[in-house]
Amino acid sequence: MLEKVFPFLKWFRGYSAAGLRSDLISGLTVALVLIPQSMAYAQLAGLPPYYGLYAAFLPPMIAALFGSSRQLATGPVAVVSLMTFASLAPLATAGSERFIGYAIALALMVGVVQLALGLLRLGLVVNFLSHPVVNGFTNAAAIIIATSQLSKMFGVHVDTAEHHYETIIRVVQAAFRFTHWPTLLLGALAFAIMVTLKRIAPRVPNVLVAVVLTTAISWAVGYQHNAVVKLTDVQSPKIHELVKRFNDTLEDISRLGEERLQAAQGLEKAKASGESVAVLNAVHDVEVLSLTIELRKDKAHLHREALRAMILKGIPQAAGGTLFYPSAEAPQGTADDGYRWRIHVGNNPVNAESLRLTGGGDVVGVVPKGLPAFTLPKIDLALMLHLLPYAAIISFLGFMEAISIAKAMAGKTGQRLDPNQELIGQGLANLIGAFGKSYPVSGSFSRSAVNLQAGAVSGLSSVFTSLIVVIMLLFLTPLLYHLPQSVLAAVIMMAVIGLINVHGFVHAWKAKRTDGIISIIAFVCTLIFAPHLDKGILVGVVLSLLVFLYKVMRPTFAVLARHEDQAFRCAETHGLRECDYISLIRFDAPLFFANASFLEDQVTERMRAKKHLKHIVIAANGINDMDASGEETLSLLVDRIRSAGLDVSLSGVNESVMRVMKRTHLDAKIGQDHLYPTMQQAIEAIHPATHRNASEQQCPLTTVCYLPR
């Protein structure tokens, strides 16, 4: 009983010093991969990089302690990070305090959903996400993730558009004009290091080597080069005017946002009062303000892009200090400082007294030293209700990823897995992680593979991984300051290459063409609707359910004949001739309200088409269950067949269906002498009477008879 509550106690059965050593080495190896990856994935989620370290602190340890897999490495992963960003981007600006708070609240909700599913033993609900849908979504997500890092690779800044492909178009346009070549070169160097080491020295932590080398180069060459100046140091009336217009537009947006909030509160009051006219007026006010805000945002975007397009030259002054001029307006014959300066413009007003100029590349910057403060995430009921669908999707996707990885490793280690216990472990990891400022996490395929290859024996390897992250947070964060953002982008792009699985589409198409089509549609829809990734998944799930319902309502109905292997097989599929006097039919589905009429229609059609038909044998081997509607339809069908002068029998009726027939006395109505254990016995009993004076020279139910070719 104690081991059910604390499954980690099982680790210590026969645990040895050699196992402890293996777990320590595995934990260290995984940590060397996890630390840079977690920072990269945090950026993908729209969070400051160090929040990835917070997500790599508690969750790996908690998931290992309370999960069932001993080698599964939990922490930040690409798809869940992307889903986190997609869920929260419409609600707050990426990286803002509000956005961070929402991400932590989302982790709490994901944890609650997963924990509840695990405790209620409802792990099977994830089956609503079929493998073709997940394959299509994952491939699209990999492309979205990789392309979302292009702006960091080229060192350009653009505003996020409504659709992901529009954002990428903006990035490509900006890259043609403003690519920061040192940024691109460092990113390409990181790629080259990781690819080379992966091929020639796969046991070496290639991500860590790339991060260490590029960070050292960044520090040595002064890769980051920023300046904080006054707006008056920029010698351009045009820039001064653009800054003023930009700030005024942002102030308008802020003021209109407050007015919209008041209008929304007025709308709630009007709804409560029940006055229709007041409600219409309030709705009108909210919609007008919302439209006005969107127009102001478009205006702010144009001003922001215009400011970002300005390339400045710094001209040192004899009296000290530096003045900045647009490149085309710099004084002739004067030497500049050698940098291409650009104005850093974000989502906040530009401060005229401390204008930030960038002349180098972007780095991680200051990472707060120490462990995160442990606090209860802010709970807002309205926010929770809004985020619930996203939390459910992330819960299912995260768990599917985790359990798939765990099953793959269990196949190699022979370990027994409990999916519901794994749900509990993943749920607690997200739930408790939220108290330590974590965002949603899941099992990682790449780090789990590293953990297994390094010889992890138990979940203690993940505990050691968490302890190493703690050491990093307490003592080593200054080492991360000069880590280039383009290198983190390269780490992400390198990681998601493994998510692209074209074979998954081919396999689904070969297995079932409808599954292949669903997989492709889910892939295309996810790409088109990005960053609204939930829509792509929803389309795939709805299509899967519709196909499932269609198959249930129109199951396989086969007319059987004797095959050369002496089994009864589908006559149409194998090109076999059908018997004129006996129709041996097989219905491959439970007989219930949704498909009972289909069986009735098919049998009626057989009676109409076969003029010499005397007996219908229903091979019930495929009917594994029957409800009241199915029983009633079968009873009426027996009446209709016999009233038409034909006879009917059943073969291979299983226990559950027979219990229904006995309770309703349908077995007596059909007759015990018309219920046969097998199809062969049914044909042997029925054949002589039906073929008396028959013109059929050879019966296809006793002799193999192919249709003429």
Side-chain angles (χ1 to χ4, degrees):
M1 179 62 186
L2 196 61
E3 288 184 348
K4 285 189 175 182
V5 180
F6 303 107
F8 57 87
L9 294 175
K10 298 176 184 176
W11 300 346
F12 303 107
R13 293 179 190 167
Y15 198 67
S16 63
L20 179 64
R21 185 169 58 253
S22 296
D23 283 337
L24 179 59
I25 293 171
S26 301
L28 174 62
T29 306
V30 172
L32 296 178
V33 178
L34 172 62
I35 289 169
Q37 270 194 355
S38 64
M39 298 176 69
Y41 290 149
Q43 286 201 144
L44 179 61
L47 300 166
Y50 56 86
Y51 274 88
L53 295 176
Y54 295 164
F57 159 40
L58 279 174
M61 177 171 59
I62 300 298
L65 288 171
F66 294 96
S68 65
S69 175
R70 298 187 179 189
Q71 287 83 25
L72 182 65
T74 298
V77 295
V79 173
V80 171
S81 298
L82 180 64
M83 283 297 298
T84 299
F85 174 77
S87 304
L88 303 179
L91 304 178
T93 303
S96 65
E97 287 298 319
R98 180 178 293 182
F99 188 96
I100 293 169
Y102 290 170
I104 295 168
L106 185 61
L108 180 72
M109 293 186 66
V110 169
V112 169
V113 171
Q114 289 180 329
L115 182 60
L117 290 174
L119 291 174
L120 296 172
R121 318 295 290 177
L122 293 175
L124 293 175
V125 297
V126 298
N127 292 336
F128 282 108
L129 286 175
S130 66
H131 282 288
V133 173
V134 172
N135 179 70
F137 171 79
T138 304
N139 278 275
I143 294 172
I144 294 165
I145 291 168
T147 53
S148 70
Q149 301 305 302
L150 290 176
S151 60
K152 293 184 176 68
M153 286 294 292
F154 290 117
V156 297
H157 299 274
V158 299
D159 287 349
T160 302
E162 183 179 357
H163 294 100
H164 177 71
Y165 63 85
E166 294 172 329
T167 303
I168 299 308
I169 291 172
R170 291 180 181 179
V171 170
V172 172
Q173 290 172 340
F176 276 114
R177 297 180 59 193
F178 306 119
T179 293
H180 186 246
W181 292 104
T183 294
L184 183 59
L185 289 173
L186 280 175
L189 176 61
F191 255 125
I193 292 170
M194 289 186 286
V195 171
T196 303
L197 287 179
K198 192 172 183 180
R199 290 183 177 178
I200 66 175
R203 290 187 172 274
V204 176
N206 55 77
V207 174
L208 182 68
V209 173
V211 165
V212 170
L213 287 178
T214 52
T215 302
I217 293 171
S218 170
W219 168 78
V221 303
Y223 168 70
Q224 183 198 35
H225 196 85
N226 296 335
V228 178
V229 301
K230 293 183 178 180
L231 183 59
T232 52
D233 293 332
V234 179
Q235 305 299 296
S236 171
K238 181 180 179 181
I239 292 177
H240 292 185
E241 181 62 24
L242 279 172
V243 168
K244 182 179 182 304
R245 290 179 181 176
F246 177 69
N247 287 347
D248 289 345
T249 304
L250 290 188
E251 287 178 10
D252 282 349
I253 292 172
S254 178
R255 175 181 55 80
L256 290 167
E258 292 295 328
E259 291 181 12
R260 183 171 63 178
L261 178 61
Q262 293 175 3
Q265 292 172 347
L267 175 59
E268 293 301 320
K269 291 179 181 178
K271 287 180 178 178
S273 69
E275 297 181 12
S276 302
V277 175
V279 170
L280 288 173
N281 288 332
V283 168
H284 174 265
D285 292 342
V286 171
E287 290 181 349
V288 168
L289 287 168
S290 296
L291 179 60
T292 307
I293 289 172
E294 290 303 315
L295 293 173
R296 292 290 190 279
K297 285 182 178 179
D298 290 342
K299 191 175 179 182
H301 163 69
L302 295 175
H303 294 327
R304 191 183 293 111
E305 291 298 302
L307 286 169
R308 286 172 176 166
M310 293 293 180
I311 305 296
L312 306 178
K313 284 186 176 181
I315 308 296
Q317 302 299 300
T322 302
L323 295 179
F324 298 88
Y325 297 84
S327 295
E329 300 174 16
Q332 298 294 323
T334 56
D336 60 53
D337 57 8
Y339 291 98
R340 296 170 74 240
W341 295 97
R342 296 179 65 189
I343 301 170
H344 183 273
V345 189
N347 295 306
N348 297 318
V350 174
N351 190 336
E353 295 300 313
S354 57
L355 180 66
R356 182 182 168 191
L357 302 180
T358 59
D362 293 328
V363 296
V364 167
V366 178
V367 176
K369 195 173 183 179
L371 299 178
F374 291 88
T375 56
L376 176 68
K378 186 178 179 182
I379 298 175
D380 182 331
L381 184 59
L383 173 68
M384 295 295 189
L385 291 174
H386 180 82
L387 291 179
L388 184 59
Y390 301 103
I393 291 173
I394 292 173
S395 299
F396 293 164
L397 275 176
F399 176 64
M400 282 195 72
E401 186 172 6
I403 198 65
S404 299
I405 298 163
K407 283 180 178 178
M409 292 189 298
K412 296 179 180 179
T413 63
Q415 181 193 346
R416 181 180 175 276
L417 280 181
D418 181 353
N420 290 301
Q421 187 63 50
E422 201 58 56
L423 260 175
I424 292 172
Q426 293 292 311
L428 286 173
N430 280 294
L431 183 63
I432 297 174
F435 288 85
K437 304 292 187 292
S438 170
Y439 73 96
V441 297
S442 180
S444 164
F445 182 82
S446 60
R447 296 194 298 272
S448 296
V450 169
N451 200 26
L452 185 65
Q453 290 169 2
V457 176
S458 74
L460 271 178
S461 60
S462 293
V463 175
F464 288 132
T465 297
S466 291
L467 292 177
I468 293 164
V469 173
V470 170
I471 294 171
M472 168 63 74
L473 286 168
L474 290 176
F475 306 110
L476 303 177
T477 53
L479 299 177
L480 300 171
Y481 182 92
H482 291 283
L483 174 58
Q485 296 275 13
S486 62
V487 173
L488 290 181
V491 169
I492 292 175
M493 296 172 80
M494 185 73 183
V496 300
I497 288 173
L499 293 177
I500 297 176
N501 177 23
V502 178
H503 175 71
F505 294 106
V506 177
H507 179 77
W509 182 272
K510 288 180 177 177
K512 199 77 173 178
R513 189 159 295 184
T514 51
D515 286 340
I517 293 171
I518 289 172
S519 191
I520 293 169
I521 291 174
F523 171 78
V524 173
C525 288
T526 302
L527 285 179
I528 292 174
F529 291 131
H532 307 290
L533 303 182
D534 54 305
K535 294 181 180 178
I537 294 177
L538 186 61
V539 168
V541 170
V542 169
L543 285 175
S544 296
L545 291 175
L546 289 175
V547 169
F548 169 75
L549 288 174
Y550 179 80
K551 289 178 180 177
V552 167
M553 295 174 68
R554 293 289 184 272
T556 301
F557 180 90
V559 179
L560 307 181
R562 181 78 66 178
H563 190 259
E564 61 186 16
D565 63 3
Q566 297 305 306
F568 291 108
R569 301 195 180 279
C570 177
E572 183 180 358
T573 301
H574 296 279
L576 301 171
R577 193 163 60 81
E578 299 175 17
C579 178
D580 292 333
Y581 304 99
I582 302 174
S583 191
L584 177 60
I585 61 175
R586 190 184 67 217
F587 188 77
D588 294 334
L591 185 60
F592 70 121
F593 69 92
N595 61 21
S597 61
F598 178 69
L599 174 63
E600 186 178 15
D601 293 342
Q602 292 296 314
V603 171
T604 303
E605 176 59 26
R606 299 297 304 164
M607 293 167 60
R608 186 193 65 78
K610 290 284 187 180
K611 302 300 182 183
H612 303 293
L613 188 61
K614 296 181 180 180
H615 205 119
I616 296 174
V617 180
I618 301 175
N621 307 66
I623 304 175
N624 55 20
D625 196 12
M626 184 166 65
D627 69 357
S629 299
E631 188 277 337
E632 185 176 359
T633 299
L634 186 56
S635 178
L636 292 173
L637 195 57
V638 170
D639 290 337
R640 178 178 296 180
I641 293 171
R642 288 179 174 168
S643 65
L646 308 180
D647 206 351
V648 60
S649 298
L650 272 67
S651 71
V653 179
N654 68 20
E655 291 81 0
S656 61
V657 175
M658 185 60 76
R659 282 195 294 269
V660 175
M661 292 171 62
K662 285 183 179 297
R663 286 196 295 267
T664 60
H665 306 294
L666 179 58
D667 62 326
K669 181 176 184 178
I670 296 174
Q672 291 296 329
D673 58 339
H674 284 65
L675 297 173
Y676 299 94
T678 66
M679 290 182 279
Q680 180 64 35
Q681 288 176 290
I683 296 303
E684 287 176 356
I686 296 166
H687 191 273
T690 55
H691 284 70
R692 192 176 294 118
N693 302 321
S695 60
E696 201 173 48
Q697 294 183 353
Q698 288 184 318
C699 177
L701 292 173
T702 58
T703 307
V704 180
C705 300
Y706 286 100
L707 290 170
R709 296 182 183 277

